[in-house]
Amino acid sequence: MSNRQQKQAEIPLSPMAQASPERRRSLAIGLLRAREAVMSHFRPILAAHDVTEQQWRVIRVLSEAGMLDASEVADKASILAPSLTRMIRSLEERGFITKHKDKADGRRVLLRITPAGQAMVDEVMPESLKVYADIGARFGAERVEELLDMLDELAALRLEGAPEGEE
């Protein structure tokens, strides 16, 4: 045994390294890797339309839901409120969304997609649907649906009061 191998053999393993292979697998890292694999197909599409992933999520949520309270948009788009506040300004300046104060409750900010924002969604969606079809063909459409169901169940386990991540 070389000196290097002998020194490595003397270094105790961390508790994580001593854990069984099943325990060493990280759900969080696995989810991040899967997200990156999926998003690698969408990033070029969004970049070609000069829209960030977060901006796309906001625009898409508003496209699907119509007018929403800013806190609802943040929740549905998985974006932290401070990030959404900055994003609202940018999307409004670009003409993709409008912002209104709720007449019944002046503290609430209501967001709505504009015709320009909807036109951008209509332009991106066919490309996006092609990516979804390709993923379905390669991974299996039924497996994609099962995975989405399981992810919904996993997301429902979030502890009340625990801070939400942005991405």
Side-chain angles (χ1 to χ4, degrees):
M1 187 182 300
S2 73
N3 283 344
R4 184 172 182 241
Q5 289 172 326
Q6 189 174 11
K7 285 181 182 177
Q8 285 177 336
E10 294 171 6
I11 299 171
L13 294 175
S14 70
M16 188 66 152
Q18 293 175 16
S20 67
E22 296 82 28
R23 298 285 313 257
R24 271 187 279 155
R25 293 180 68 189
S26 168
L27 176 61
I29 291 173
L31 289 169
L32 285 170
R33 285 183 180 143
R35 179 187 187 280
E36 286 304 308
V38 170
M39 288 309 300
S40 69
H41 299 279
F42 290 99
R43 284 189 188 110
I45 297 168
L46 298 177
H49 292 86
D50 194 28
V51 177
T52 68
E53 295 170 41
Q54 295 84 4
Q55 288 172 336
W56 172 250
R57 293 196 313 255
V58 168
I59 293 167
R60 184 166 175 189
V61 162
L62 290 172
S63 174
E64 293 172 358
M67 187 163 49
L68 287 175
D69 174 273
S71 62
E72 292 173 296
V73 172
D75 181 56
K76 290 178 185 293
S78 298
I79 293 175
L80 296 174
S83 296
L84 180 62
T85 301
R86 288 187 301 273
M87 206 176 306
I88 289 169
R89 194 174 314 116
S90 171
L91 291 172
E92 201 174 18
E93 287 170 3
R94 293 180 66 187
F96 291 145
I97 68 168
T98 58
K99 175 177 75 171
H100 310 279
K101 290 276 186 194
D102 186 339
K103 291 177 181 163
D105 181 352
R107 297 169 296 175
R108 287 180 69 208
V109 174
L110 301 174
L111 305 175
R112 180 184 301 210
I113 195 165
T114 64
Q118 188 59 51
M120 198 266 295
V121 169
D122 294 344
E123 192 175 318
V124 170
M125 216 32 125
E127 296 171 78
S128 181
L129 292 173
K130 284 180 189 173
V131 170
Y132 282 119
D134 181 55
I135 291 170
R138 292 169 58 198
F139 190 70
E142 188 173 314
R143 289 178 69 201
V144 169
E145 288 303 314
E146 289 172 10
L147 178 59
L148 287 168
D149 291 341
M150 287 189 287
L151 290 171
D152 284 344
E153 289 176 40
L154 187 59
L157 297 178
R158 190 175 80 77
L159 297 174
E160 270 196 37
E164 283 190 39
E166 185 165 323
E167 297 181 33

